[in-house]
Amino acid sequence: MLQATPLTEGWILRHPDDPAEVLPAEVPGCVHTDLLAAGLIPDPFLGLGEKEAAWVGRREWTYETDLRAASAHERTDLVFDGLDTVAEILLDGRVLGRVRNMHRSYRFDVTGLSGRLAVRFASAYAEAEAVRERLGERPAAYAEPYQYVRKMACSFGWDWGPTLVTAGIWRPVRLEHWSTARIARVRPLVTVDGDTGVVELSVDVERARGEAPLVLEAAVGGVRAREEVDGARGTVRLRVPDAALWWPRGYGGQPLYEVELTLLRGDEVLDLWRRRVGFRTVELDTSADAHGTGFTLVVNGERLFARGVNWIPDDVFPSRITRERYRRRLAQAAGAGVDLVRVWGGGIYESEDFYDACDELGLLVWQDFPFACAAYPEEQPLRGEVEAEARENVVRLMPHPSLALWNGNNENLWGFRDWDWERRLAGDSWGEGYYLGLLPRVVAELDPTRPYTAGSPWSGSWDHHPNDPAHGTHHSWEVWNRADYADYRRSVPRFVAEFGWQAPPAYATLRRALPGEELAPDSPGMLHHQKADDGNGKLERGLARHFAVPEGDFDRWHYLTQLNQARAVAAGIEHWRSHWPVCAGTVVWQLNDCWPVTSWAAIDGDGREKPLYHELKRLYADRLLTLRARDGGLELAAVNQSARRWSGTLVLRRMSVQGVLLGETSVRLAAGARAVARIGVPGDLVPAGPEEFLVADADRLRALYFPVPDREVPYVPPEFDVALAPGGITVTARTLVRDLLLQADRLDPGARADRGLVTLLPGERVTIGISGWKTPDAEHARSALYCVEPLR
């Protein structure tokens, strides 16, 4: 039987400026992490350390170890699951091969060989610049040459990420010893036929020698089947009666079935392949209707409003991301009510650990092919690499029931139309042949069980603008860049695949990342950890539309910008969810960060949850109340995404900011399953001026409506009492306390609060759970509480 020997020990890294200087190397890993471990570069996440590590990506590096491939088997292969990115592989000076793609695996026959194994990495910059010289300049959103090399684009920096261009053996490497034959590839087509689950395994077999009779035996769900191998290929089909369906979270369970495939010669087991699958159907409804062209995911016949987040690589050094870290981050997403995670095209095809966690947690995966924000040449050497990586990764990820959608690229079709690319390209290739030709052909051939869309945003054809909100997917960035977040309410896109608002990370994250710095919005470290073009200017202008921008008070600025982020995202999601089924999904930019930075993330680079994260729990819950202006009055939308009808009593109260009840009524609330109910607010309950607001309560859910921005509201000074409670604190309001927030990490860097922003009316109380707080003290807790205050 095939035997695998991991090659994790004994690696060294040779410094390019002094080949005699040798560093211990960790494999899997990368040059940056090895240099960091050796103390040769500062931590690039701290202070201005990124600048001091910039030279690393411009150098050549060599990994070495001793290789002994001797075995009793007929064949030994050296297998690299991932090499980042441009490398020459040598054994005792003999070239085994050359590679130029981070997104592929590689296999070399080393039968009977031994000696010194060397992996020589060229600079990704040098490769990209050489390809650019050969194929010609192409436009991009950033000046770095990321579109000329098949590598994680955000290694070259982004508007939320550092420029740390990596090199290294970033995924596992091993020796595989085998005889007679091995399983080279398994392409599992998993479908549903009535109540029966169907698994069809198309198997490629590699033979060491001869044409010995071989048999494939497969088992799943108690069903077994055997088929002979015809030459180098075989197919096994299994039907599982009464198969339990896999559902996204919130719609049902996530039963997984283990498939075991065995390659046999007689009774001898030659190789074994195991994966888990789930039985479900997934479709994408892009039919035209009275509102334009839809974009609705349909799973097992159930039409979904997708509650999504965009995912970037969780570390700029992806070899550091463990199975546990994937699970922790994705569990945070599920805990916020998320049911779809979009793997963004400037990153990578993630590891099996990522998709395993999504399978288990019921998180649908929208998978971008790795193209983002640039015109990509379609000539060699890139075209062949693109097809090879697509074919490998489509088949690799096919077993996962969570994988719901393949997407050709991020923003490149839009860029061609709107970012002056067409004129600058003057007829040169730019990627259209990938997105509208090569990639849909590969998906249709290899994975016909899943839908494909050419890009995000994309209207479905060139008959409409690529980012037309009435057709297909839409990216809403005009608001963050130029307008107030209230403008989200001006349109109802069919599917909002990107939108978001920035805020700084948690206070403890800033203190760790910027040690010793006197924090200010424009202090050196803060500016360095703000990568967006005019990011602080946009933060300040967005804040000024709603609050008085605090001068010289960093703590207040920090709280208000985090509050504004949560408010902005809430404005969009509440509006768009209330327009289901015309709008069929929102995908917030973004869930996570890859380092400590001011960004659009809900979870910062140290894994701490911003107020936005907790706000998503409310916004993405099955049931949501929202109040909005309509036709000169007010309307309440009761969004019910649960499978049960929502019936109850809605209480509407018109209040003054002084806490006086000015009017009240109760009305019947009735919203069908997966539906939205709309209730008009009686005219006498509509706030009559800036000192009044409306409160709507039903089934412990609340919606608030203030008719003017906070800077125009004559708030009274907030008063509240704080007392210790088991596992946390209780806050009791004596006045209106709007958007109270406990920043638990100010109590202890390891402390976490179980909730975010909460508004209390006079006499109301809330208990906030706190974990990781070592020395509970009520007055200490008060110092970490923030809320909206009267205009100073």
Side-chain angles (χ1 to χ4, degrees):
M1 183 171 171
L2 184 147
Q3 295 177 335
T5 305
L7 298 179
T8 57
E9 304 296 330
W11 288 92
I12 62 166
L13 177 66
R14 292 198 181 274
H15 197 287
D17 295 336
D18 183 2
E21 184 176 354
V22 172
L23 305 176
E26 185 172 347
V27 173
C30 73
V31 171
H32 285 83
T33 53
D34 289 332
L35 294 174
L36 187 59
L40 295 179
I41 59 171
D43 189 333
F45 288 11
L46 304 185
L48 308 183
E50 174 199 356
K51 294 181 177 180
E52 298 180 54
W55 62 273
V56 176
R58 292 283 183 180
R59 306 296 178 88
E60 298 178 355
W61 300 90
T62 300
Y63 284 80
E64 292 182 8
T65 192
D66 287 324
L67 182 72
R68 293 176 177 82
S71 169
H73 285 275
E74 296 171 351
R75 175 81 173 265
T76 298
D77 292 339
L78 173 64
V79 182
F80 293 94
D81 285 342
L83 292 168
D84 176 17
T85 293
V86 183
E88 183 178 57
I89 298 91
L90 306 99
L91 187 59
D92 272 352
R94 171 193 166 193
V95 176
L96 297 178
R98 295 179 177 89
V99 303
R100 61 198 316 153
N101 193 328
M102 180 182 184
H103 305 303
R104 293 178 59 186
S105 64
Y106 299 95
R107 178 179 292 268
F108 304 99
D109 183 353
V110 294
T111 305
L113 301 179
S114 62
R116 193 67 173 169
L117 176 65
V119 185
R120 294 179 180 170
F121 287 96
S123 163
Y125 273 115
E127 167 75 5
E129 289 160 357
V131 172
R132 180 174 61 190
E133 180 68 22
R134 190 187 326 161
L135 301 182
E137 188 80 32
R138 301 295 200 282
Y142 304 99
E144 299 282 317
Y146 55 91
Q147 73 268 49
Y148 304 100
V149 61
R150 295 309 296 155
K151 174 177 173 57
M152 184 173 87
C154 62
S155 284
F156 292 88
W158 220 260
D159 57 4
W160 37 257
T163 302
L164 294 166
V165 179
T166 51
I169 305 171
W170 78 289
R171 280 183 167 161
V173 55
R174 63 191 174 277
L175 290 174
E176 288 190 357
H177 311 282
W178 54 280
S179 298
T180 307
R182 72 176 185 91
I183 297 171
R185 187 181 79 160
V186 180
R187 188 168 65 88
L189 289 174
V190 182
T191 55
V192 178
D193 180 11
D195 294 331
T196 300
V198 181
V199 179
E200 182 177 292
L201 303 173
S202 298
V203 186
D204 292 349
V205 172
E206 182 181 10
R207 293 177 181 262
R209 60 176 174 80
E211 293 293 328
L214 302 176
V215 171
L216 293 167
E217 183 174 279
V220 59
V223 177
R224 306 186 73 86
R226 287 171 62 95
E227 295 289 344
E228 293 183 357
V229 176
D230 182 9
R233 290 184 173 83
T235 301
V236 187
R237 200 163 188 264
L238 304 102
R239 295 177 63 86
V240 180
D242 301 318
L245 293 179
W246 184 97
W247 288 91
R249 60 168 304 281
Y251 290 84
Q254 291 79 45
L256 298 170
Y257 290 76
E258 183 167 285
V259 179
E260 183 174 284
L261 175 71
T262 307
L263 177 65
L264 298 152
R265 183 181 63 180
D267 294 330
E268 180 187 3
V269 175
L270 301 177
D271 201 357
L272 191 63
W273 180 92
R274 286 193 183 96
R275 295 292 188 278
R276 294 183 305 173
V277 302
F279 295 108
R280 57 100 184 94
T281 63
V282 59
E283 303 164 88
L284 181 63
D285 184 354
T286 57
S287 56
D289 57 27
H291 303 280
T293 308
F295 193 93
T296 305
L297 282 166
V298 185
V299 178
N300 298 329
E302 184 79 56
R303 301 172 67 82
L304 312 181
F305 181 97
R307 293 169 277 190
V309 288
N310 282 275
W311 171 276
I312 66 170
D314 205 50
D315 195 320
V316 74
F317 306 130
S319 59
R320 297 198 299 199
I321 308 173
T322 62
R323 183 177 184 86
E324 293 72 28
R325 180 163 163 183
Y326 274 124
R327 177 75 189 204
R328 182 168 62 251
R329 195 71 69 245
L330 291 165
Q332 285 176 297
V338 168
D339 58 22
L340 180 142
V341 177
R342 176 188 171 209
V343 181
W344 167 77
I348 56 177
Y349 306 95
E350 296 287 348
S351 81
E352 296 295 330
D353 297 331
F354 174 92
Y355 304 95
D356 284 345
C358 290
D359 291 344
E360 295 162 6
L361 293 166
L363 296 172
L364 294 171
V365 176
W366 161 332
Q367 177 69 52
D368 282 13
F369 286 98
F371 301 90
C373 301
Y376 284 77
E378 296 176 39
E379 293 79 18
Q380 298 293 12
L382 293 172
R383 186 178 184 86
E385 291 293 342
V386 167
E387 180 162 2
E389 79 178 49
R391 288 183 171 277
E392 177 176 340
N393 284 286
V394 166
V395 172
R396 177 173 73 89
L397 301 182
M398 281 176 65
H400 296 283
S402 57
L403 180 59
L405 179 68
W406 291 103
N407 175 51
N409 75 89
N410 176 76
E411 299 190 343
N412 294 344
L413 296 160
W414 180 21
F416 179 76
R417 178 57 57 86
D418 270 7
W419 301 347
D420 196 34
W421 289 5
E422 188 170 7
R423 179 190 63 80
R424 294 166 61 190
L425 285 162
D428 285 344
S429 67
W430 57 276
E432 182 181 26
Y434 296 145
Y435 319 135
L436 298 178
L438 172 65
L439 295 176
R441 174 168 55 82
V442 168
V443 172
E445 174 193 339
L446 298 176
D447 189 14
T449 67
R450 290 180 178 86
Y452 170 88
T453 184
S456 185
W458 180 233
S459 58
S461 79
W462 288 115
D463 294 338
H464 305 289
H465 187 283
N467 200 30
D468 187 335
H471 299 277
T473 49
H474 177 69
H475 288 196
S476 180
W477 285 117
E478 188 69 16
V479 169
W480 158 252
N481 285 315
R482 296 176 183 86
D484 183 24
Y485 57 70
D487 283 12
Y488 284 136
R489 304 185 184 103
R490 292 181 177 271
S491 68
V492 183
R494 305 312 303 269
F495 192 106
V496 189
E498 277 191 25
F499 78 106
W501 202 268
Q502 271 202 349
Y507 182 79
T509 299
L510 288 173
R511 284 271 55 108
R512 188 190 72 83
L514 305 175
E517 180 164 312
E518 184 176 344
L519 296 177
D522 59 353
S523 61
M526 287 294 294
L527 290 178
H528 184 72
H529 289 247
Q530 163 62 279
K531 296 295 185 178
D533 182 34
D534 190 30
N536 272 16
K538 293 170 185 176
L539 275 178
E540 184 162 324
R541 290 189 292 277
L543 197 59
R545 295 184 181 104
H546 296 270
F547 300 97
V549 179
E551 299 292 337
D553 186 344
F554 177 82
D555 292 344
R556 193 82 193 146
W557 175 88
H558 182 261
Y559 159 73
L560 289 175
T561 50
Q562 288 199 334
L563 168 61
N564 221 35
Q565 179 188 39
R567 292 265 196 96
V569 172
I573 293 178
E574 287 185 2
H575 172 65
W576 295 320
R577 279 194 73 183
S578 74
H579 284 278
W580 161 261
V582 176
C583 180
T586 56
V587 189
V588 176
W589 187 269
Q590 62 213 64
L591 174 69
N592 57 326
D593 269 327
C594 63
W595 77 314
V597 65
T598 295
S599 84
W600 298 263
I603 301 169
D604 74 20
D606 282 6
R608 293 188 175 92
E609 298 153 349
K610 295 184 189 178
L612 171 59
Y613 172 83
H614 295 282
E615 186 69 352
L616 286 176
K617 292 181 182 179
R618 180 183 72 87
L619 297 168
Y620 277 166
D622 281 351
R623 292 173 174 175
L624 173 71
L625 297 176
T626 179
L627 288 160
R628 62 191 184 189
R630 183 168 182 178
D631 300 329
L634 287 182
E635 178 183 81
L636 180 132
V639 181
N640 180 25
Q641 206 163 342
S642 74
R644 298 190 304 275
R645 180 178 178 81
W646 185 8
S647 299
T649 300
L650 175 70
V651 178
L652 297 170
R653 286 179 286 173
R654 180 174 150 222
M655 304 279 298
S656 75
V657 294
Q658 290 79 24
V660 178
L661 179 64
L662 303 174
E664 180 177 6
T665 192
S666 296
V667 297
R668 181 173 176 270
L669 185 155
R674 320 286 192 206
V676 179
R678 296 172 175 84
I679 301 169
V681 174
D684 61 345
L685 292 180
V686 175
E691 72 285 351
E692 296 181 6
F693 64 101
L694 183 66
V695 184
D697 291 298
D699 289 341
R700 293 180 293 177
L701 301 179
R702 171 170 286 179
L704 298 168
Y705 176 81
F706 286 77
V708 296
D710 290 75
R711 56 184 169 77
E712 298 177 23
V713 177
Y715 288 113
V716 299
E719 298 179 8
F720 53 84
D721 299 316
V722 181
L724 291 178
I729 60 169
T730 296
V731 180
T732 304
R734 288 187 268 118
T735 64
L736 171 66
V737 179
R738 190 168 187 203
D739 286 314
L740 180 74
L741 175 68
L742 173 68
Q743 294 189 0
D745 58 287
R746 289 178 179 264
L747 304 175
D748 186 290
R752 298 286 192 277
D754 66 358
R755 63 183 306 152
L757 300 161
V758 59
T759 293
L760 300 175
L761 304 181
E764 291 184 337
R765 67 177 56 189
V766 63
T767 296
I768 303 172
I770 309 171
S771 61
W773 189 17
K774 297 173 183 174
T775 55
D777 177 84
E779 284 307 306
H780 191 197
R782 179 181 284 276
S783 70
L785 286 165
Y786 293 81
C787 62
V788 175
E789 296 180 352
L791 187 65
R792 296 178 183 178

